[in-house]
Amino acid sequence: MKKVIVLLFAIIITVLTGCTSSKESIFGTLDVDFNTCQDTCSTDLQTFSDNLSAYRDALAAYELTIAENSNQESEFLVSQSNYTRLQIPVSDPITDNSAIPTTLHSNGFALIFSYIEVISLYVSEGGDNYSNPVSNDLYQITDRSYGFDDLSGYYTHRLFLTTNASEATESYVYFSFNLNLEHIAFESIIYFPSSDRYQYMSYANNVYRGYSYFADDNYSFQYINTSTGHYISYNLTNDNEVTQIYNPDTQMFYEKNGNFDHVAFYQDMQFVASLDNQNEENFLEFSLHFMDGWDSLTYNDVSVSPYSIAYNNDQRVFTDFDILTYRQSSNYYQVNIQKALTTEELSTFNFPDEFVGDITFDQLVQAYEDLLDNDNILSMEDLSPDLIKEKCLEVLSLLSENYLD
């Protein structure tokens, strides 16, 4: 089975690299040739259970090389309390950054660990039956193969749903991973041949890629470079199309989600300013973290709730704006000015003189208007929905060729 997988994705590499250099860097470097234990593997599922805590510790250690502040103790602001500017946590703009998911690869490792953990708990050694503890569905497992050592491993099987189905529902699972900090990588395949559905994820050489295909109107692709923050996500579900792009060279983030268009500028991964359309209005946010002229804040002041009040030398400042302070993730807060702007105001408004972000309001408006005028923002990456669908179908075809007898 392992030889089949390696052959399969060697073929994928060959197919996907027949693109331009830009596309090649996004699609064409699926590096699945990473080391996992071979002759030195322990072929006892108990080995995985015994090592699971060490695997998770190794992953956490690696994540700290990407988001070094992610394990800091969380700090919570208390409503109606006063805080100096330096007391407001802004130490970790990477962990759980909703626009730039630099730690996205952790989802793949978590899936692998959780799946094998369940299998190791509910399938007796050498057994071939599995009862889902939630649904009580019964499965038959065949063609199992697995092996683990201190930092790497692989697991694969063929699964048949044998209850509550008019005919056996078949799926294939393949996982492999290496948690050596110098070669950290994983590969995950879940494939349903009877319905032509699959999910594929990989992480190697600091690049995460995820493909899924469920139908011609339900497929997705994600790309994230954890070294640069370069991020591309496309998801089509029925008629709902969501596209997100973060370009680390321009530090601009773009999103199209139905009638919602959003553009934002980030500086060293921290949010600076954004424009989007909400309820047929242009909605502006910009960060007080990139404003001079204030030194303290009353968080969620009751007199202006749910907003906050900024002060400079005990004098209230920025009274013309609403200031919203909210917890962005586990370790830092956003403190943003929010303002609805008419279309006419887009040409007359300007950031206050105290604003020190590395973008002008005119530049932000220009990026916003370019976004509104562009029906296919994937073109910024020399991509299109049709090209992503084509690649998803290529992966499906290769899965079908290599898994079906």
Side-chain angles (χ1 to χ4, degrees), residues 298-371:
T298 299
Y299 173 55
N300 289 353
D301 188 282
V302 65
S303 66
V304 293
S305 181
Y307 300 108
S308 299
I309 295 177
Y311 300 91
N312 193 36
N313 294 322
D314 297 325
Q315 297 296 314
R316 184 176 176 180
V317 291
F318 310 131
T319 56
D320 294 337
F321 300 105
D322 292 329
I323 301 172
L324 184 63
T325 305
Y326 57 94
R327 194 169 187 81
Q328 178 66 19
S329 67
S330 57
N331 288 320
Y332 75 109
Y333 282 80
Q334 292 278 35
V335 185
N336 292 344
I337 283 177
Q338 300 182 325
K339 185 174 178 63
L341 298 174
T342 66
T343 301
E344 291 74 19
E345 286 177 313
L346 290 178
S347 60
T348 59
F349 182 83
N350 205 351
F351 290 129
D353 292 340
E354 294 88 351
F355 182 76
V356 294
D358 287 341
I359 189 171
T360 67
F361 186 71
D362 288 344
Q363 289 171 331
L364 183 65
V365 170
Q366 184 62 60
Y368 179 57
E369 292 177 344
D370 291 344
L371 175 69

Side-chain angles (χ1 to χ4, degrees), residues 16-221:
L16 297 185
T17 51
C19 311
T20 65
S21 58
S22 174
K23 298 172 189 174
E24 180 177 335
S25 66
I26 296 167
F27 290 126
T29 56
L30 291 176
D31 185 3
V32 297
D33 189 20
F34 59 88
N35 293 325
T36 57
C37 59
Q38 298 293 328
D39 297 336
T40 59
C41 284
S42 169
T43 55
D44 183 337
L45 271 177
Q46 185 61 43
T47 301
F48 173 82
S49 298
D50 292 342
N51 290 343
L52 181 56
S53 181
Y55 293 156
R56 287 175 169 152
D57 287 346
L59 178 60
Y62 177 69
E63 289 177 344
L64 286 177
T65 69
I66 297 171
E68 63 182 1
N69 297 317
S70 61
N71 68 342
Q72 287 189 352
E73 184 176 350
S74 296
E75 300 178 49
F76 293 89
L77 302 184
V78 178
S79 292
Q80 303 179 44
S81 296
N82 296 321
Y83 296 91
T84 68
R85 181 170 182 165
L86 294 178
Q87 288 177 315
I88 300 172
V90 290
S91 60
D92 182 25
I94 295 177
T95 303
D96 299 331
N97 189 321
S98 58
I100 313 167
T102 313
T103 57
L104 185 64
H105 63 280
S106 297
N107 296 343
F109 282 105
L111 170 69
I112 291 172
F113 295 158
S114 296
Y115 192 100
I116 303 176
E117 184 178 22
V118 168
I119 291 296
S120 65
L121 285 173
Y122 291 96
V123 180
S124 61
E125 187 68 31
D128 60 359
N129 294 309
Y130 164 56
S131 176
N132 187 306
V134 177
S135 66
N136 293 319
D137 286 334
L138 295 177
Y139 297 85
Q140 181 183 25
I141 296 175
T142 65
D143 302 326
R144 281 202 297 165
S145 177
Y146 46 82
F148 308 97
D149 64 12
D150 291 345
L151 287 173
S152 69
Y154 68 92
Y155 179 94
T156 181
H157 71 209
R158 189 175 182 182
L159 190 71
F160 295 90
L161 174 65
T162 57
T163 57
N164 302 321
S166 57
E167 59 185 47
T169 301
E170 182 182 13
S171 62
Y172 291 84
V173 168
Y174 172 81
F175 301 129
S176 62
F177 62 91
N178 189 325
L179 289 159
N180 184 312
L181 285 180
E182 296 180 359
H183 308 288
I184 191 164
F186 79 86
E187 187 173 33
S188 167
I189 303 168
I190 302 176
Y191 170 53
F192 301 86
S194 61
S195 55
D196 281 338
R197 296 181 293 131
Y198 74 87
Q199 182 185 60
Y200 171 76
M201 294 183 290
S202 71
Y203 181 70
N205 298 323
N206 302 316
V207 173
Y208 170 90
R209 291 180 177 85
Y211 292 87
S212 72
Y213 179 86
F214 298 97
D216 282 346
D217 60 354
N218 190 341
Y219 59 91
S220 68
F221 171 72

